[in-house]
mmCIF file with all atom_site columns, all heavy atoms in Angstrom:
data_model
loop_
_atom_site.group_PDB
_atom_site.id
_atom_site.type_symbol
_atom_site.label_atom_id
_atom_site.label_alt_id
_atom_site.label_comp_id
_atom_site.label_asym_id
_atom_site.label_entity_id
_atom_site.label_seq_id
_atom_site.pdbx_PDB_ins_code
_atom_site.Cartn_x
_atom_site.Cartn_y
_atom_site.Cartn_z
_atom_site.occupancy
_atom_site.B_iso_or_equiv
_atom_site.pdbx_formal_charge
_atom_site.auth_seq_id
_atom_site.auth_comp_id
_atom_site.auth_asym_id
_atom_site.auth_atom_id
_atom_site.pdbx_PDB_model_num
ATOM 1   N N   . SER K 1 179 ? 14.964 8.939  -2.598  1.00 0.00 ? 179 SER K N   1
ATOM 2   C CA  . SER K 1 179 ? 16.334 8.556  -2.296  1.00 0.00 ? 179 SER K CA  1
ATOM 3   C C   . SER K 1 179 ? 16.894 9.388  -1.159  1.00 0.00 ? 179 SER K C   1
ATOM 4   O O   . SER K 1 179 ? 16.565 10.559 -1.000  1.00 0.00 ? 179 SER K O   1
ATOM 5   C CB  . SER K 1 179 ? 17.218 8.734  -3.534  1.00 0.00 ? 179 SER K CB  1
ATOM 6   O OG  . SER K 1 179 ? 16.774 7.892  -4.577  1.00 0.00 ? 179 SER K OG  1
ATOM 7   N N   . SER K 1 180 ? 17.780 8.763  -0.381  1.00 0.00 ? 180 SER K N   1
ATOM 8   C CA  . SER K 1 180 ? 18.417 9.474  0.717   1.00 0.00 ? 180 SER K CA  1
ATOM 9   C C   . SER K 1 180 ? 19.407 10.490 0.185   1.00 0.00 ? 180 SER K C   1
ATOM 10  O O   . SER K 1 180 ? 19.747 10.503 -0.999  1.00 0.00 ? 180 SER K O   1
ATOM 11  C CB  . SER K 1 180 ? 19.146 8.487  1.629   1.00 0.00 ? 180 SER K CB  1
ATOM 12  O OG  . SER K 1 180 ? 20.229 7.891  0.930   1.00 0.00 ? 180 SER K OG  1
ATOM 13  N N   . SER K 1 181 ? 19.906 11.341 1.064   1.00 0.00 ? 181 SER K N   1
ATOM 14  C CA  . SER K 1 181 ? 20.856 12.367 0.641   1.00 0.00 ? 181 SER K CA  1
ATOM 15  C C   . SER K 1 181 ? 22.135 11.740 0.103   1.00 0.00 ? 181 SER K C   1
ATOM 16  O O   . SER K 1 181 ? 22.762 12.255 -0.814  1.00 0.00 ? 181 SER K O   1
ATOM 17  C CB  . SER K 1 181 ? 21.178 13.292 1.815   1.00 0.00 ? 181 SER K CB  1
ATOM 18  O OG  . SER K 1 181 ? 21.691 12.546 2.909   1.00 0.00 ? 181 SER K OG  1
ATOM 19  N N   . ASP K 1 182 ? 22.544 10.584 0.661   1.00 0.00 ? 182 ASP K N   1
ATOM 20  C CA  . ASP K 1 182 ? 23.737 9.901  0.168   1.00 0.00 ? 182 ASP K CA  1
ATOM 21  C C   . ASP K 1 182 ? 23.535 9.430  -1.258  1.00 0.00 ? 182 ASP K C   1
ATOM 22  O O   . ASP K 1 182 ? 24.407 9.538  -2.098  1.00 0.00 ? 182 ASP K O   1
ATOM 23  C CB  . ASP K 1 182 ? 24.072 8.703  1.063   1.00 0.00 ? 182 ASP K CB  1
ATOM 24  C CG  . ASP K 1 182 ? 24.574 9.145  2.430   1.00 0.00 ? 182 ASP K CG  1
ATOM 25  O OD1 . ASP K 1 182 ? 25.030 10.303 2.541   1.00 0.00 ? 182 ASP K OD1 1
ATOM 26  O OD2 . ASP K 1 182 ? 24.504 8.339  3.368   1.00 0.00 ? 182 ASP K OD2 1
ATOM 27  N N   . GLU K 1 183 ? 22.342 8.894  -1.534  1.00 0.00 ? 183 GLU K N   1
ATOM 28  C CA  . GLU K 1 183 ? 22.054 8.416  -2.882  1.00 0.00 ? 183 GLU K CA  1
ATOM 29  C C   . GLU K 1 183 ? 21.953 9.577  -3.853  1.00 0.00 ? 183 GLU K C   1
ATOM 30  O O   . GLU K 1 183 ? 22.324 9.462  -5.018  1.00 0.00 ? 183 GLU K O   1
ATOM 31  C CB  . GLU K 1 183 ? 20.752 7.612  -2.885  1.00 0.00 ? 183 GLU K CB  1
ATOM 32  C CG  . GLU K 1 183 ? 20.867 6.291  -2.169  1.00 0.00 ? 183 GLU K CG  1
ATOM 33  C CD  . GLU K 1 183 ? 19.528 5.591  -2.139  1.00 0.00 ? 183 GLU K CD  1
ATOM 34  O OE1 . GLU K 1 183 ? 18.620 6.079  -1.484  1.00 0.00 ? 183 GLU K OE1 1
ATOM 35  O OE2 . GLU K 1 183 ? 19.414 4.543  -2.809  1.00 0.00 ? 183 GLU K OE2 1
ATOM 36  N N   . ASP K 1 184 ? 21.455 10.710 -3.359  1.00 0.00 ? 184 ASP K N   1
ATOM 37  C CA  . ASP K 1 184 ? 21.365 11.883 -4.220  1.00 0.00 ? 184 ASP K CA  1
ATOM 38  C C   . ASP K 1 184 ? 22.736 12.336 -4.685  1.00 0.00 ? 184 ASP K C   1
ATOM 39  O O   . ASP K 1 184 ? 22.883 12.959 -5.728  1.00 0.00 ? 184 ASP K O   1
ATOM 40  C CB  . ASP K 1 184 ? 20.695 13.043 -3.459  1.00 0.00 ? 184 ASP K CB  1
ATOM 41  C CG  . ASP K 1 184 ? 19.205 12.792 -3.259  1.00 0.00 ? 184 ASP K CG  1
ATOM 42  O OD1 . ASP K 1 184 ? 18.654 12.005 -4.038  1.00 0.00 ? 184 ASP K OD1 1
ATOM 43  O OD2 . ASP K 1 184 ? 18.619 13.388 -2.333  1.00 0.00 ? 184 ASP K OD2 1
ATOM 44  N N   . ASP K 1 185 ? 23.760 11.998 -3.881  1.00 0.00 ? 185 ASP K N   1
ATOM 45  C CA  . ASP K 1 185 ? 25.119 12.383 -4.245  1.00 0.00 ? 185 ASP K CA  1
ATOM 46  C C   . ASP K 1 185 ? 25.783 11.383 -5.180  1.00 0.00 ? 185 ASP K C   1
ATOM 47  O O   . ASP K 1 185 ? 26.950 11.499 -5.494  1.00 0.00 ? 185 ASP K O   1
ATOM 48  C CB  . ASP K 1 185 ? 25.981 12.531 -2.973  1.00 0.00 ? 185 ASP K CB  1
ATOM 49  C CG  . ASP K 1 185 ? 25.526 13.724 -2.131  1.00 0.00 ? 185 ASP K CG  1
ATOM 50  O OD1 . ASP K 1 185 ? 24.952 14.658 -2.723  1.00 0.00 ? 185 ASP K OD1 1
ATOM 51  O OD2 . ASP K 1 185 ? 25.741 13.697 -0.910  1.00 0.00 ? 185 ASP K OD2 1
ATOM 52  N N   . GLY K 1 186 ? 25.026 10.334 -5.557  1.00 0.00 ? 186 GLY K N   1
ATOM 53  C CA  . GLY K 1 186 ? 25.557 9.432  -6.565  1.00 0.00 ? 186 GLY K CA  1
ATOM 54  C C   . GLY K 1 186 ? 25.709 8.002  -6.112  1.00 0.00 ? 186 GLY K C   1
ATOM 55  O O   . GLY K 1 186 ? 26.422 7.236  -6.745  1.00 0.00 ? 186 GLY K O   1
ATOM 56  N N   . ALA K 1 187 ? 25.046 7.603  -5.014  1.00 0.00 ? 187 ALA K N   1
ATOM 57  C CA  . ALA K 1 187 ? 25.147 6.227  -4.554  1.00 0.00 ? 187 ALA K CA  1
ATOM 58  C C   . ALA K 1 187 ? 24.477 5.300  -5.545  1.00 0.00 ? 187 ALA K C   1
ATOM 59  O O   . ALA K 1 187 ? 23.483 5.641  -6.172  1.00 0.00 ? 187 ALA K O   1
ATOM 60  C CB  . ALA K 1 187 ? 24.476 6.089  -3.184  1.00 0.00 ? 187 ALA K CB  1
ATOM 61  N N   . THR K 1 188 ? 25.035 4.107  -5.684  1.00 0.00 ? 188 THR K N   1
ATOM 62  C CA  . THR K 1 188 ? 24.480 3.123  -6.590  1.00 0.00 ? 188 THR K CA  1
ATOM 63  C C   . THR K 1 188 ? 24.243 1.835  -5.839  1.00 0.00 ? 188 THR K C   1
ATOM 64  O O   . THR K 1 188 ? 24.683 1.654  -4.720  1.00 0.00 ? 188 THR K O   1
ATOM 65  C CB  . THR K 1 188 ? 25.434 2.847  -7.769  1.00 0.00 ? 188 THR K CB  1
ATOM 66  O OG1 . THR K 1 188 ? 26.690 2.411  -7.231  1.00 0.00 ? 188 THR K OG1 1
ATOM 67  C CG2 . THR K 1 188 ? 25.645 4.121  -8.582  1.00 0.00 ? 188 THR K CG2 1
ATOM 68  N N   . ASP K 1 189 ? 23.518 0.914  -6.494  1.00 0.00 ? 189 ASP K N   1
ATOM 69  C CA  . ASP K 1 189 ? 23.309 -0.389 -5.868  1.00 0.00 ? 189 ASP K CA  1
ATOM 70  C C   . ASP K 1 189 ? 24.473 -1.299 -6.219  1.00 0.00 ? 189 ASP K C   1
ATOM 71  O O   . ASP K 1 189 ? 25.456 -0.891 -6.822  1.00 0.00 ? 189 ASP K O   1
ATOM 72  C CB  . ASP K 1 189 ? 21.957 -0.989 -6.305  1.00 0.00 ? 189 ASP K CB  1
ATOM 73  C CG  . ASP K 1 189 ? 21.897 -1.243 -7.798  1.00 0.00 ? 189 ASP K CG  1
ATOM 74  O OD1 . ASP K 1 189 ? 22.973 -1.217 -8.444  1.00 0.00 ? 189 ASP K OD1 1
ATOM 75  O OD2 . ASP K 1 189 ? 20.800 -1.479 -8.313  1.00 0.00 ? 189 ASP K OD2 1
ATOM 76  N N   . SER K 1 190 ? 24.362 -2.579 -5.837  1.00 0.00 ? 190 SER K N   1
ATOM 77  C CA  . SER K 1 190 ? 25.476 -3.512 -5.990  1.00 0.00 ? 190 SER K CA  1
ATOM 78  C C   . SER K 1 190 ? 25.847 -3.752 -7.445  1.00 0.00 ? 190 SER K C   1
ATOM 79  O O   . SER K 1 190 ? 26.958 -4.168 -7.745  1.00 0.00 ? 190 SER K O   1
ATOM 80  C CB  . SER K 1 190 ? 25.127 -4.844 -5.320  1.00 0.00 ? 190 SER K CB  1
ATOM 81  O OG  . SER K 1 190 ? 23.959 -5.389 -5.894  1.00 0.00 ? 190 SER K OG  1
ATOM 82  N N   . SER K 1 191 ? 24.927 -3.480 -8.357  1.00 0.00 ? 191 SER K N   1
ATOM 83  C CA  . SER K 1 191 ? 25.207 -3.710 -9.771  1.00 0.00 ? 191 SER K CA  1
ATOM 84  C C   . SER K 1 191 ? 25.777 -2.476 -10.450 1.00 0.00 ? 191 SER K C   1
ATOM 85  O O   . SER K 1 191 ? 26.080 -2.494 -11.636 1.00 0.00 ? 191 SER K O   1
ATOM 86  C CB  . SER K 1 191 ? 23.924 -4.137 -10.503 1.00 0.00 ? 191 SER K CB  1
ATOM 87  O OG  . SER K 1 191 ? 22.999 -3.086 -10.493 1.00 0.00 ? 191 SER K OG  1
ATOM 88  N N   . GLY K 1 192 ? 25.879 -1.377 -9.662  1.00 0.00 ? 192 GLY K N   1
ATOM 89  C CA  . GLY K 1 192 ? 26.408 -0.149 -10.234 1.00 0.00 ? 192 GLY K CA  1
ATOM 90  C C   . GLY K 1 192 ? 25.337 0.751  -10.791 1.00 0.00 ? 192 GLY K C   1
ATOM 91  O O   . GLY K 1 192 ? 25.615 1.846  -11.267 1.00 0.00 ? 192 GLY K O   1
ATOM 92  N N   . GLU K 1 193 ? 24.058 0.306  -10.730 1.00 0.00 ? 193 GLU K N   1
ATOM 93  C CA  . GLU K 1 193 ? 22.962 1.110  -11.246 1.00 0.00 ? 193 GLU K CA  1
ATOM 94  C C   . GLU K 1 193 ? 22.435 2.019  -10.147 1.00 0.00 ? 193 GLU K C   1
ATOM 95  O O   . GLU K 1 193 ? 22.528 1.721  -8.969  1.00 0.00 ? 193 GLU K O   1
ATOM 96  C CB  . GLU K 1 193 ? 21.812 0.197  -11.719 1.00 0.00 ? 193 GLU K CB  1
ATOM 97  C CG  . GLU K 1 193 ? 22.198 -0.700 -12.870 1.00 0.00 ? 193 GLU K CG  1
ATOM 98  C CD  . GLU K 1 193 ? 22.384 0.074  -14.157 1.00 0.00 ? 193 GLU K CD  1
ATOM 99  O OE1 . GLU K 1 193 ? 21.874 1.195  -14.246 1.00 0.00 ? 193 GLU K OE1 1
ATOM 100 O OE2 . GLU K 1 193 ? 23.047 -0.445 -15.066 1.00 0.00 ? 193 GLU K OE2 1
ATOM 101 N N   . VAL K 1 194 ? 21.852 3.141  -10.548 1.00 0.00 ? 194 VAL K N   1
ATOM 102 C CA  . VAL K 1 194 ? 21.183 3.994  -9.574  1.00 0.00 ? 194 VAL K CA  1
ATOM 103 C C   . VAL K 1 194 ? 20.007 3.225  -9.002  1.00 0.00 ? 194 VAL K C   1
ATOM 104 O O   . VAL K 1 194 ? 19.275 2.558  -9.723  1.00 0.00 ? 194 VAL K O   1
ATOM 105 C CB  . VAL K 1 194 ? 20.691 5.302  -10.254 1.00 0.00 ? 194 VAL K CB  1
ATOM 106 C CG1 . VAL K 1 194 ? 19.899 6.130  -9.276  1.00 0.00 ? 194 VAL K CG1 1
ATOM 107 C CG2 . VAL K 1 194 ? 21.876 6.081  -10.791 1.00 0.00 ? 194 VAL K CG2 1
#
Side-chain angles (χ1 to χ4, degrees):
S179 298
S180 66
S181 57
D182 290 339
E183 291 177 293
D184 288 337
D185 292 334
T188 58
D189 63 14
S190 59
S191 65
E193 297 289 340
V194 175

